[in-house]
Amino acid sequence: MARSLDRSRALQIRAEQLIPGGVNSPVRAFRSVGGTPPFLVRGLGAHVWDADGNRYIDYVGSWGPLILGHSPPEVIEAIVQAARNGTSFGASTPTEADLAELVIEAFPAIEKVRFVSSGTEATMSAIRLARAHTQRKFIVKFEGCYHGHSDALLVKAGSGVATLGIPGSAGVPEEFVEFTLALPYNDRNAVEAAFAKFRGQIACVIVEPVVGNMGCVPPRPGYLEALREITAREGALLIFDEVMTGFRVAFGGASELYHIKPDLTTLGKIIGGGLPVGAYGGPAKIMDLVAPLGPVYQAGTLSGNPLAMAAGIATLCQLKANRKQFYKQLDDMAGKLVAGITAAAKEAGVAMTANRVGSMFTFFFTDKQVTDWESAATCDTAKFGRFHGAMLDAGVWLPPSQFEAAFLSIAHTQGDIDDTIAAAREALALL
Ligand code: HOZ
C-alpha cells in the first residue's frame, strides 16, 4: 500500500522555493527515480523515519559514513561531549592528532594526513599535490568514477552527474579540463596507451579502487596491480580515492583488501562518523610539500573541526576494537541480502546483475556483467525507478539512483535482511 507523504510533499514545495531543486545535493531530488523524496527526520540503528512517520530500512546510510548505523550511542556521546567544550576554534585542537594516528595505523601507505571538510576537498587537494610533486600537468581519471565536484574532476563523472545524464558541467571552461584524461575503468590497455601518448606528462592516476559512484563496480583481478605497476614505472603518482571504500571494504580500505600501496590516499565519509570530514595522506616527503612546510596551498576554517574529529575517533575505535568479527559480520549479512534479492529477480524473470564488495553493493537492471561505465549504462533505469518506488512503499530505502552504491551497516539484523528480501520479491514480481 502506498505511504502517505503529505508532509514530505509540503516540505519539498517549500524547499523548492528557497533551495535549487529543493535539495543541497542533486541525487536527493529523486529526479531519476521519480516520486516525492521523503524528508527524513530521524535515524536509529538500521532505520530512518520520514516527516509523515513512515519507517524505512536504510541502505543509504548517509551514502556510506554510517557503518555503525544511525545514532550509535558512543558516537553521539562523543559529539555531545566535544560540543560542550566549543564547536570550532580555527586553531589546533588535541583530537586532530588522535584521528590522524588512527588513520595512519590503518593505512600503511599514509605517513602524514591532512584533514579537510569533504571528499571533494580531499581529492582536489591530492591532485594539486600530485601535480606539484611531479611537476606535470595531465591527470588520468576513469569514466563513471566520481571524485567530487571540483572543475578538473567533473569529466565523464559518475554519481549525480551520471544519474542526471549530464556529460560534464556547465561553468567548467574547456581549458580547465584540457589536462584531464578520462579512460574506461578496468582497462589496463587504455592506461598504457595514455602513458605512451603523453609520456612524461601525466602527474597521477586517480581511481576509486572499488567504484561506488556508477553503482558498485569491483576491479578486475590484476587491474589495480597494473595501475600500480604502470604509474611507478612512468614516475606518476597513484591516488586511491577511498572516500567510500576507506574503513568500509576493510579497516584499511581497498588498499588492505587488494594489498596495494598507492602514493596518495583520499578519505571521507566513515572517518567523520557522520559529520563532515575528508582527508588526504601519503608519504611524509610528498605531504610535506603542503603549506606551511611547502608551496602547495590548501586551507579551511572548519578543517579538523573538533566535533567531526570526535565523531570520527569514536567510530574508528568501534571498528578497530573488533575489526575481524566486525567486517566478517558485515560481509556475511550483505552476502545474504544480495543472494536473496538476486534469487528473487531470477524467480521473477527480471534481468539483474548484482555487484558486491563487502558491505557495498548495487542491483543493476541489466543482463550484462557490469565492469565499467559502458556496461553500467546498459541498465534499464526506468525499471530501476519502478523497483525503487515499490521498495520505498514497502519500507526499504535504497539509493535513488541506478548509479550509486548501497551500504549495509552493522546495525542491520537478520530480520531486516529477511524483510528486505520479502519486499524485493513483491517489488520484482510487479515489474
Ligand atoms: N553524490 C553523493 C553520493 N555519491 C550523494 C551525496 C548526497 O546527496 O548526500
Side-chain angles (χ1 to χ4, degrees):
M1 202 180 79
R3 306 143 292 150
S4 157
L5 285 174
D6 294 348
R7 291 216 174 102
S8 282
R9 210 165 284 121
L11 288 164
Q12 177 70 16
I13 290 167
R14 174 169 188 248
E16 278 175 10
Q17 284 155 11
L18 303 164
I19 301 170
V23 291
N24 286 305
S25 193
V27 182
R28 298 177 196 176
F30 278 42
R31 288 290 157 100
S32 70
V33 290
T36 301
F39 273 55
L40 299 185
V41 294
R42 182 167 170 245
L44 187 65
H47 301 127
V48 288
W49 285 262
D50 70 19
D52 292 270
N54 301 301
R55 191 195 84 156
Y56 307 88
I57 306 171
D58 179 23
Y59 293 101
V60 173
S62 186
W63 302 97
L66 303 185
I67 196 164
L68 299 175
H70 289 267
S71 316
E74 302 79 6
V75 179
I76 300 302
E77 188 49 34
I79 296 170
V80 170
Q81 286 229 15
R84 286 208 177 97
N85 290 325
T87 55
S88 180
F89 301 102
S92 295
T93 55
T95 51
E96 292 162 57
D98 294 337
L99 186 59
E101 215 165 65
L102 283 161
V103 167
I104 288 166
E105 187 191 325
F107 286 80
I110 301 181
E111 289 171 5
K112 283 192 177 179
V113 62
R114 174 58 76 80
F115 293 115
V116 291
S117 296
S118 69
T120 292
E121 280 182 75
T123 51
M124 180 182 79
S125 308
I127 296 281
R128 183 176 301 152
L129 183 55
R131 282 177 161 151
H133 171 76
T134 57
Q135 305 277 300
R136 297 174 179 182
K137 289 184 181 166
F138 282 88
I139 62 171
V140 168
K141 77 172 287 287
F142 298 100
E143 295 165 3
C145 286
Y146 177 75
H147 307 286
H149 58 90
S150 67
D151 286 350
L153 291 165
L154 271 185
V155 181
K156 298 198 176 163
S159 188
V161 185
T163 302
L164 297 172
I166 302 172
S169 171
V172 178
E174 271 163 50
E175 293 83 351
F176 283 26
V177 290
E178 77 180 280
F179 297 115
T180 303
L181 308 171
L183 309 179
Y185 180 74
N186 261 333
D187 180 347
R188 177 197 172 122
N189 293 338
V191 180
E192 290 283 17
F195 273 97
K197 185 165 174 196
F198 296 96
R199 179 131 295 140
Q201 297 178 74
I202 297 176
C204 62
V205 170
I206 184 166
V207 65
E208 289 183 81
V210 175
V211 188
N213 283 298
M214 55 176 138
C216 176
V217 181
R220 283 204 171 102
Y223 177 65
L224 297 176
E225 289 80 351
L227 294 184
R228 180 63 290 182
E229 180 200 314
I230 297 166
T231 47
R233 187 188 72 210
E234 301 290 337
L237 299 189
L238 177 61
I239 305 176
F240 270 12
D241 180 353
E242 297 233 40
V243 167
M244 269 190 195
T245 51
F247 298 97
R248 164 63 64 182
V249 295
F251 189 68
S255 317
E256 176 185 314
L257 190 65
Y258 298 103
H259 311 287
I260 308 275
K261 232 174 149 180
D263 299 296
L264 295 175
T265 304
T266 59
L267 294 162
K269 303 209 187 260
I270 290 174
I271 58 160
L275 268 65
V277 182
Y280 62 105
K285 72 171 191 314
I286 301 180
M287 291 304 292
D288 285 349
L289 289 173
V290 177
L293 295 184
V296 177
Y297 199 72
Q298 171 270 307
T301 299
L302 291 168
S303 295
N305 174 265
L307 269 58
M309 297 295 105
I313 293 163
T315 300
L316 299 195
C317 286
Q318 291 283 309
L319 303 182
K320 192 179 148 185
N322 202 5
R323 57 191 272 188
K324 215 164 159 211
Q325 168 60 24
F326 184 95
Y327 287 96
K328 181 171 181 328
Q329 184 178 327
L330 275 182
D331 189 47
D332 287 351
M333 296 289 261
K336 283 183 193 165
L337 177 70
V338 171
I341 294 184
T342 306
K346 214 166 179 185
E347 272 166 37
V350 173
M352 177 195 276
T353 298
N355 280 356
R356 177 178 80 86
V357 177
S359 56
M360 54 190 282
F361 52 89
T362 299
F363 304 107
F364 291 101
F365 282 79
T366 177
D367 56 2
K368 306 259 179 311
Q369 292 298 303
V370 178
T371 57
D372 54 16
W373 173 245
E374 197 181 315
S375 44
T378 65
C379 286
D380 184 338
T381 51
K383 199 175 265 185
F384 173 82
R386 293 199 297 280
F387 175 68
H388 181 267
M391 291 298 272
L392 273 180
D393 281 340
V396 178
W397 186 277
L398 293 171
S401 163
Q402 175 68 97
F403 306 120
E404 296 278 7
F407 301 95
L408 190 100
S409 80
I410 204 72
H412 286 87
T413 63
Q414 185 60 52
D416 292 321
I417 306 294
D418 294 342
D419 290 350
T420 306
I421 295 170
R425 195 168 288 127
E426 284 192 20
L428 288 161
L430 293 175
L431 293 182

